Amino acid sequence: MKVHLLAALASAALLACGAARADERESLEQLRTTTLGLINALVETGAITRARADELIRAAGPKPAWGDAPRPEGGVAPAPVVRVPYVSETVRKQIRDEVRQDVLAQARSERWTDPARLPDWLDRISLYGDLRVRLQGEKFASDNTPAGAYDLRGQNNADLATRWADLADNGLAAGNTQTGSNMLRLRARLGTEVKVSPDTSADLRIATGSNASATSTNQTLTGNFGKYSLWLDRAVLRTRLAPWLLLQAGRMPPPFEANDGVWDEDLHFDGLALRLQAPDPLGSGPYASVGAFPLQAASHPSRPKASWLFGGQVGINWDVSPRTRLKASAAIYDFDGIEGVRELDSRLDPVLLTPNVNDYAATGYSASLRRKGNTLVRINAPGDTGTTVWGLASRFRPLHLNLGAEVYHFSPLVLRLGVDYLRNTAFDRAEIAARTGLVFGDGRADGWQLRTQIGMAQLKNRGDWSASLAYRLVGSDVMPDGFVDSDFGLGGTNQKGFVLGGNWAFDRNTTAGLKLLTARSLSSPTMRSDSHSFSADVLQADLQVRF
């Protein structure tokens, strides 16, 4: 009886041990099968190669253990049986996504794409630009006198003078003063900035434009679907000679702090400029700028020297508090050699074989630049009754004073206030009379602007907006009329009026804008006793994207 009981207990123990080993074998087999499945899935996703997978499988092959079948004679073990389980497409996709994320994370952390393997100049080039489509409507006042209804020649052709823009060779006024129009216009600009070194960069930009105008990059869409031209709009080299000294050379944005009440927003300067300012990441503190810019080369015996623009400005940006900044500046601009000079009498100077030359041949102020508003005088040689040659009556040395404030107390809104005053310090009626023979009593040599703006500091995100209102007065001879705002009164000086505008961002860096400019002439455009006034309203609706 005891013998049978012991045998039963031994059999039960052996069965339990066998069952335990069976469970262990089953667990190990399941682990092995899962591992093989993962290895094959990695091969399918491209994470590892088939050769590497085979090495991993061989390394994970079965090892002899207690209870394994004995090796056959010759010492060669039987080939292991590899069981590859079925992996569903859902599991495959999940494994593939997880592996991709792990590989990308490892690539970022270990810098697999080493920047040193790419050309370093790619990291030093940045692109920028904008595209604007504008619908513009122009309307003239009903009491504007038709341009062809008056004769500028007066009683004595030698005393001819005017402030009108469009003039025929015989001195008669031309142009449109009554018929309004609507037009679609396009502006596209694309630029690149190259960081040559931490202290030196090059900035290049091309832009559209109907012609080589200095104050417009707009292309009027009236070309019967033909292609349009691109112009070199900017080409400037900037280098920091010292932490507090910046040199700019080439074709650059205005290097002097000003607004559209002084220079047209599209105007660029050709020449050299220096800016002195203590390093400050916020741009606060005092500064000074100087520059020299050629306008026209000497090309006529009556004009033996070239014409230049020399400018200088001092100012300060003062952070009164973290939410208030004040700005103040004073600038002087000297337009040297653009005033009109009487042509020499060809009978006295044999060098001038042909006194009747193209407009502005004896001045340094190109006729193509002329807008309207400046007082002009006929500068033909004495006794010359042929083609009229026009010259600027006044010299130009405008002084610009500016005072502004930026208030951030209404975050995220910013309130900006500005006052500008302009005066042509070279305007002298006695000097004009001595040089040109012209004596006149009207006209002005001063100007000013009051401007306020409220809205977001920058229109970047959806819902950002800004609105502005300005009152502007620009005397006839305060600035050369070819450099001032080309939209206000359709360009030129001798005007006063309002500018009302607003912009709203309906997408990231994408805005819709509306602007109304209304202007009326100050002094007589014709300088005749039967003078008339000229006024024009301009409405602009814009869609613009920046990048």
Side-chain angles (χ1 to χ4, degrees):
M1 189 67 173
K2 291 180 179 181
V3 174
H4 290 292
L5 181 58
L6 291 174
L9 291 174
S11 298
L14 290 174
L15 288 174
C17 291
R21 288 191 56 79
D23 291 342
E24 182 179 357
R25 282 179 174 275
E26 184 176 357
S27 299
L28 292 174
E29 186 62 30
Q30 289 178 353
L31 178 61
R32 175 180 173 80
T33 301
T34 302
T35 302
L36 293 174
L38 288 174
I39 293 174
N40 283 280
L42 289 173
V43 173
E44 292 182 5
T45 60
I48 62 175
T49 63
R50 169 54 64 184
R52 178 59 178 162
D54 292 341
E55 292 179 2
L56 293 174
I57 293 174
R58 285 194 297 271
K63 304 292 189 297
W66 178 81
D68 288 344
R71 293 177 180 270
E73 294 183 1
V76 179
V81 178
V82 178
R83 296 182 177 84
V84 180
Y86 170 74
V87 181
S88 67
E89 184 61 30
T90 302
V91 175
R92 289 170 181 261
K93 184 178 183 302
Q94 181 179 358
I95 293 173
R96 185 164 54 246
D97 293 341
E98 291 177 354
V99 169
R100 181 183 295 111
Q101 295 300 323
D102 291 343
V103 170
L104 290 176
Q106 185 177 359
R108 284 192 295 267
S109 64
E110 297 180 2
R111 297 181 62 84
W112 289 359
T113 56
D114 186 358
R117 298 181 181 178
L118 301 175
D120 61 352
W121 55 266
L122 290 176
D123 297 328
R124 296 185 280 109
I125 293 181
S126 59
L127 296 176
Y128 66 92
D130 61 84
L131 174 64
R132 183 181 70 193
V133 179
R134 166 175 288 174
L135 176 61
Q136 178 166 314
E138 301 171 359
K139 181 181 179 181
F140 298 103
S142 59
D143 61 348
N144 282 0
T145 302
Y150 51 80
D151 188 341
L152 300 180
R153 290 173 293 186
Q155 300 298 320
N156 185 351
N157 198 41
D159 296 332
L160 185 63
T162 185
R163 297 191 181 99
W164 194 245
D166 299 312
L167 300 166
D169 289 341
N170 60 3
L172 293 175
N176 176 32
T177 64
Q178 290 190 315
T179 305
S181 63
N182 297 307
M183 64 187 72
L184 196 62
R185 313 187 84 182
L186 174 72
R187 184 183 74 179
R189 302 184 296 191
L190 179 62
T192 179
E193 185 172 6
V194 182
K195 290 287 186 181
V196 181
S197 72
D199 293 326
T200 302
S201 65
D203 189 356
L204 300 171
R205 188 172 75 178
I206 55 176
T208 53
S210 298
N211 50 49
S213 169
T215 56
S216 178
T217 52
N218 291 311
Q219 173 65 60
T220 303
L221 302 182
T222 55
N224 292 320
F225 304 149
K227 300 179 179 65
Y228 300 109
S229 300
L230 288 175
W231 303 82
L232 181 62
D233 184 48
R234 181 180 299 175
V236 54
L237 185 152
R238 299 186 179 98
T239 183
R240 193 162 291 280
L241 305 177
W244 45 268
L245 182 60
L246 175 66
L247 169 66
Q248 298 186 84
R251 180 170 175 81
M252 68 195 77
F256 309 105
E257 296 195 12
N259 51 45
D260 55 5
V262 181
W263 306 108
D264 184 89
E265 66 174 358
D266 289 324
L267 182 68
H268 276 55
F269 285 43
D270 303 334
L272 301 170
L274 285 171
R275 183 180 178 94
L276 295 84
Q277 184 172 17
D280 188 298
L282 300 179
S284 61
Y287 63 87
S289 299
V290 293
F293 314 95
L295 297 176
Q296 187 173 352
S299 58
H300 192 274
S302 294
R303 173 65 62 182
K305 68 172 185 176
S307 56
W308 287 74
L309 166 61
F310 302 100
Q313 183 180 52
V314 293
I316 185 171
N317 295 319
W318 179 28
D319 293 328
V320 180
S321 71
R323 296 187 177 182
T324 304
R325 168 175 283 195
L326 296 180
K327 298 182 176 183
S329 65
I332 189 76
Y333 307 108
D334 185 10
F335 292 86
D336 180 46
I338 69 170
E339 67 279 0
V341 177
R342 287 280 188 184
E343 289 184 344
L344 298 177
D345 193 333
S346 60
R347 294 170 297 181
L348 302 177
D349 189 344
V351 176
L352 293 178
L353 300 178
T354 307
N356 296 333
V357 293
N358 294 330
D359 283 0
Y360 284 73
T363 76
Y365 187 62
S366 172
S368 63
L369 182 63
R370 184 177 66 209
R371 307 293 292 186
K372 66 175 180 292
N374 289 161
T375 303
L376 305 177
V377 62
R378 191 174 187 270
I379 58 174
N380 291 61
D384 180 7
T385 58
T387 302
T388 300
V389 182
W390 298 100
L392 291 172
S394 176
R395 301 181 189 272
F396 287 87
R397 192 184 304 113
L399 169 70
H400 173 222
L401 303 177
N402 171 261
L403 181 63
E406 294 181 354
V407 181
Y408 297 84
H409 290 267
F410 315 102
S411 181
L413 301 182
V414 180
L415 175 64
R416 293 186 172 97
L417 303 170
V419 180
D420 293 275
Y421 176 75
L422 280 165
R423 184 168 188 84
N424 181 9
T425 61
F427 183 79
D428 186 333
R429 297 181 191 274
E431 188 275 334
I432 293 173
R435 178 167 42 85
T436 67
L438 174 65
V439 178
F440 62 97
D442 63 348
R444 355 184 2 167
D446 64 340
W448 50 274
Q449 175 176 268
L450 299 174
R451 189 175 190 273
T452 180
Q453 176 180 319
I454 188 169
M456 278 63 173
Q458 293 181 322
L459 304 185
K460 286 187 174 182
N461 302 312
R462 183 192 300 268
D464 291 349
W465 63 273
S466 68
S468 63
L469 173 64
Y471 179 80
R472 183 183 304 169
L473 183 149
V474 188
S476 59
D477 296 291
V478 64
M479 284 276 290
D481 57 25
F483 297 123
V484 299
D485 190 349
S486 60
D487 295 323
F488 184 67
L490 298 178
T493 59
N494 194 38
Q495 303 186 95
K496 63 179 179 179
F498 291 91
V499 180
L500 175 64
N503 292 279
W504 173 64
F506 62 91
D507 202 350
R508 180 170 178 82
N509 290 326
T510 307
T511 59
L514 195 65
K515 181 187 285 187
L516 173 65
L517 306 96
T518 174
R520 188 176 185 86
S521 60
L522 290 168
S523 303
S524 168
T526 62
M527 299 185 67
R528 290 281 304 272
S529 59
D530 55 343
S531 64
H532 78 286
S533 63
F534 170 83
S535 63
D537 297 334
V538 179
L539 182 64
Q540 299 171 337
D542 296 341
L543 289 177
Q544 178 167 288
V545 60
R546 296 183 178 89
F547 54 90

